Amino acid sequence: MLAEEAPKVTDWMQGVGNVATLLVSVLALWFTALLYLHEVRTRREEKADADAAHARLVFGRVVEIRAPTQMLTSMQCEVVNHGEMPIFQVTIEVTTSSGATVRDAQESDGLIGTQVRELIADQPIPVAAATTIRDLSLTVAFTDAAGLRWRRTGRDTPVRVLSGSSSGPDCRPWLALTAVTLGVLGIALTLISLFN
């Protein structure tokens, strides 16, 4: 009788060992996937920061407004590029506190340093009597020397403008999780076949 129980104990211990191996393998797979996702995220953030380095050196501001009888007719704007490389396809638009927008349809290319532009409203825009240049926000849209398109309002963080032909979202994180899930499923099926 003892001889019959010895193989059962050995089989049971082998089964426990297999389950422990499975758990360690699953944890290792998930840890590897998390490290991969962290690395992908870090590299993406570093690339975005490097891409925006020149865009952070470009800004615009309103330096003078003309609003006789509380009707905004024109303004003088300044676009500044502190970067060493020129910017291209520079356009500006000014938004009032009421949400009215005045756009400059004219693009300028090869801007380095400072450019002063006169912006004239198509129709006079009603504004409050106490309106100052601080009540207006100027947005500069431009293409940097690397060919990336940007928009920046005042001194806010520049926003990258992606073209309509972008390739879509990054699928690598989902692929990593799918690979881990399939690996876990494979290990589980292997253990099930061992115990049957």
Side-chain angles (χ1 to χ4, degrees):
M1 186 158 186
L2 286 174
E4 292 176 12
E5 288 183 13
K8 288 182 181 179
V9 171
T10 306
D11 289 343
W12 181 81
M13 289 178 68
Q14 209 173 21
V16 169
N18 288 340
V19 170
T21 302
L22 171 68
L23 291 176
V24 170
S25 298
V26 168
L27 288 174
L29 276 170
W30 279 108
F31 183 70
T32 303
L34 290 175
L35 279 176
Y36 172 76
L37 293 174
H38 175 71
E39 184 67 23
V40 167
R41 188 177 322 117
T42 301
R43 286 188 182 175
R44 189 179 305 137
E45 289 170 359
E46 288 172 354
K47 183 177 181 337
D49 187 55
D51 287 347
H54 186 192
R56 286 191 295 270
L57 299 175
V58 177
F59 65 91
R61 63 184 178 156
V62 178
V63 292
E64 181 185 339
I65 61 172
R66 292 175 203 88
T69 64
Q70 299 177 9
M71 297 297 281
L72 180 65
T73 56
S74 64
M75 62 209 82
Q76 199 171 52
C77 304
E78 187 177 75
V79 179
V80 180
N81 174 14
H82 286 296
E84 295 178 6
M85 300 297 289
I87 57 175
F88 306 92
Q89 298 173 314
V90 181
T91 60
I92 59 175
E93 69 180 29
V94 175
T95 306
T96 66
S97 56
S98 65
T101 302
V102 180
R103 289 183 181 86
D104 186 0
Q106 184 179 8
E107 289 184 355
S108 59
D109 279 332
L111 173 63
I112 296 178
T114 303
Q115 179 186 56
V116 177
R117 294 168 81 166
E118 189 74 21
L119 195 56
I120 299 171
D122 292 335
Q123 297 178 354
I125 300 170
V127 292
T131 298
T132 66
I133 59 175
R134 294 177 192 262
D135 300 319
L136 306 174
S137 64
L138 187 137
T139 301
V140 180
F142 60 94
T143 302
D144 66 14
L148 304 176
R149 188 78 180 150
W150 298 93
R151 285 179 61 84
R152 187 172 193 192
T153 301
R155 298 285 184 138
D156 294 346
T157 302
V159 176
R160 174 114 181 257
V161 179
L162 299 175
S163 64
S165 62
S166 69
S167 60
D170 188 5
C171 296
R172 288 177 293 186
W174 290 107
L175 291 174
L177 289 175
T178 302
V180 169
T181 304
L182 290 175
V184 169
L185 183 61
I187 292 171
L189 291 174
T190 303
L191 282 175
I192 290 171
S193 68
L194 285 174
F195 286 113
N196 286 334

